[in-house]
Amino acid sequence: MLGGAVLAVSMIFAGTAVLNGAVFQVASAGDANLNHGLYDIANDMFLATGFGFAVMFVDAAVSVRITAALSGAMAPAALVVAVLNVVSGVGLFANSGFFAIGGTFTFIAPLASLLWILAASIMMIRRAPIARSPAG
């Protein structure tokens, strides 16, 4: 789980670095082709994070199922989010449309991931139920 998360976050940092370099350093050179190329590279790195996040969510689903630390519905939800993250990789090959960079699907997988993490976080910080003794 940690390995997948580290891979994904590393790709986010790399994509951000490339995008920042394009915006703050290369843009002043006035080369539109270079700017577009760097923009595509940065977005491809962002799309590639889906594979690391997919590993993280599959591992989270297994952990939830084994430990029952979270609601039982969180395990299948994590698997759905993992599939969405893998499918987001289609954007690496799409030039236009639903799956392409800036297309609708590029917002679905990150949003689903954030919602799952939010739900899991809320479940983890809620108070544990008070144990009642059989005597009452």
Side-chain angles (χ1 to χ4, degrees):
M1 191 167 165
L2 179 63
V6 167
L7 173 66
V9 171
S10 298
M11 293 300 287
I12 289 172
F13 285 148
T16 303
V18 170
L19 195 57
N20 285 340
V23 169
F24 296 115
Q25 301 297 321
V26 179
S28 62
D31 187 348
N33 289 329
L34 179 58
N35 286 337
H36 191 268
L38 290 173
Y39 174 79
D40 286 344
I41 290 169
N43 280 292
D44 286 348
M45 288 179 175
F46 293 140
L47 287 171
T49 64
F51 300 114
F53 280 128
V55 169
M56 184 189 85
F57 283 112
V58 167
D59 290 345
V62 171
S63 297
V64 167
R65 180 62 103 189
I66 290 173
T67 65
L70 300 176
S71 167
M74 292 299 284
L79 292 176
V80 168
V81 173
V83 169
L84 289 173
N85 275 286
V86 169
V87 171
S88 69
V90 171
L92 294 168
F93 307 102
N95 290 327
S96 64
F98 184 69
F99 290 103
I101 295 169
T104 305
F105 194 80
T106 59
F107 298 99
I108 293 173
L111 181 61
S113 299
L114 290 172
L115 290 174
W116 190 93
I117 291 169
L118 177 65
S121 299
I122 290 170
M123 288 179 189
M124 287 190 288
I125 63 172
R126 73 180 193 278
R127 291 183 182 237
I130 299 172
R132 300 188 184 254
S133 68

